[in-house]
Amino acid sequence: MERPKLPTRIGKAVALVVICLLVTVPFLVVLSTSLASPEEVTENGGWVLFPTEPTLRAYQEVLSGGTVTRALLVSVGVTVGGTLISLVTTVALAYALSRPHFALRRPLLLMVLFTFLFPPAMLPSYLIVKNLGLLDSYWALALPVAVNVFNLVVMRGFFQGLPEELYDAARMDGAGELRTLVRIVLPLSKAVIAVVGLFYAVGYWNNFFHAILYLNDSSKWPLQAVLQTVITKGQALGGNAGSIGDVSTTSPQTLQMATVVIATVPILVVYPFVQRYFTKGVLTGAIKS
């Protein structure tokens, strides 16, 4: 390939800078507003780009109330537990669907793809969760979405891309399917497992609709559900009582932005650790999808 001409390279650089600004500036405004004093927020009309006197008072007030702290712990628990459940079920099903000698491989694959093309509606999903006795239970946040079809197809494609000689060698050594999966396939699948795990973790962390739909007790809500209520209703989480709408010594806008930062930072911290697996896992898993 020929080296791009100078105008093309300049255009790419400008486009990259613009995209970076579009991504970083809003987050910088949210972070700066959360660190600003109430007087500075009022003077600037509710938004601050560079606070002159940064303070952590908003974070102290939000985390000391109890609502956000409890919701944060719920989100961490649901994300970790749900991701483990999803990885185990997805790996097991993807491995079964990748083996050509599995008798039910084709009907199961067609069933899975059917749910991808025609996802269940809200009312049938709610009735199923209700009839299973999962309402007001944290299981309702994980079991209905335990397997994502896209992640399943990616992982199945990765398993199919492994050399068939590995499976033949394992069978010659007397290894069963479970031992082959644990001892041979999984150690070679770290990239795709990291990528799929990240997809599941982000999905569980950002999911607020299922919590509002299935959990009648708002004290069980995860952080994103609490954040959605705070943003849509324009209310702040009071510091001392820890409930929505309490009187606070901090600007409501500052408390809202502090809640947004608390809800965003954990995923941003995890992402760099799996970034190096991201491209390799997706591309390799999609070759034979």
Side-chain angles (χ1 to χ4, degrees):
M1 297 180 61
E2 297 182 359
R3 181 180 176 85
K5 297 181 180 180
L6 181 60
T8 303
R9 286 181 289 170
I10 294 177
K12 291 181 179 180
V14 172
L16 182 61
V17 171
V18 171
I19 293 174
C20 291
L21 290 177
L22 291 176
V23 173
T24 57
V25 170
F27 184 75
L28 178 61
V29 171
V30 171
L31 179 62
S32 300
T33 304
S34 68
L35 296 174
S37 62
E39 297 78 11
E40 194 170 7
V41 172
T42 304
E43 293 175 359
N44 289 273
W47 302 99
V48 178
L49 184 57
F50 298 106
T52 56
E53 298 179 359
T55 176
L56 297 176
R57 183 165 53 184
Y59 293 93
Q60 295 173 351
E61 191 166 341
V62 167
L63 295 176
S64 65
T67 300
V68 173
T69 305
R70 181 173 59 250
L72 181 60
L73 294 177
V74 171
S75 290
V76 172
V78 170
T79 300
V80 174
T83 301
L84 291 177
I85 293 174
S86 295
L87 283 178
V88 171
T89 54
T90 303
V91 167
L93 184 55
Y95 180 76
L97 295 177
S98 68
R99 307 312 304 136
H101 57 271
F102 180 50
L104 301 177
R105 179 172 65 94
R106 186 170 296 276
L108 277 179
L109 182 60
L110 292 177
M111 187 183 303
V112 169
L113 295 178
F114 182 82
T115 62
F116 181 72
L117 297 175
F118 304 98
M122 180 179 67
L123 184 57
S125 300
Y126 179 83
L127 293 177
I128 291 175
V129 171
K130 181 180 179 181
N131 291 332
L132 292 176
L134 299 179
L135 287 181
D136 252 353
S137 170
Y138 291 127
W139 291 108
L141 304 183
L143 294 184
V145 292
V147 177
N148 180 275
V149 179
F150 174 79
N151 295 335
L152 176 66
V153 171
V154 169
M155 190 165 289
R156 171 179 174 268
F158 184 89
F159 291 160
Q160 287 181 319
L162 294 177
E164 189 64 27
E165 291 77 10
L166 292 175
Y167 299 102
D168 295 337
R171 284 194 294 268
M172 292 179 62
D173 290 339
E177 296 294 346
L178 180 60
R179 187 174 181 181
T180 301
L181 174 62
V182 175
R183 293 293 185 89
I184 297 177
V185 176
L186 291 185
L188 298 175
S189 308
K190 294 179 181 179
V192 71
I193 290 177
V195 172
V196 170
L198 176 64
F199 286 162
Y200 276 126
V202 172
Y204 281 114
W205 182 265
N206 291 331
N207 190 1
F208 67 90
F209 181 72
H210 286 168
I212 297 176
L213 183 64
Y214 299 139
L215 300 181
N216 298 322
D217 186 0
S218 59
S219 64
K220 296 182 178 180
W221 281 1
L223 184 58
Q224 300 297 339
V226 173
L227 176 61
Q228 189 267 348
T229 303
V230 171
I231 299 300
T232 56
K233 293 186 178 182
Q235 296 173 320
L237 293 175
N240 296 326
S243 60
I244 298 177
D246 289 344
V247 178
S248 171
T249 59
T250 308
S251 169
Q253 186 81 356
T254 304
L255 292 174
Q256 292 173 4
M257 295 305 102
T259 308
V260 171
V261 173
I262 294 173
T264 306
V265 166
I267 291 297
L268 294 180
V269 172
V270 172
Y271 180 76
F273 294 98
V274 296
Q275 183 181 8
R276 63 193 183 99
Y277 297 110
F278 195 84
T279 303
K280 179 182 177 182
V282 172
L283 293 182
T284 306
I287 291 176
K288 292 190 177 183
S289 298

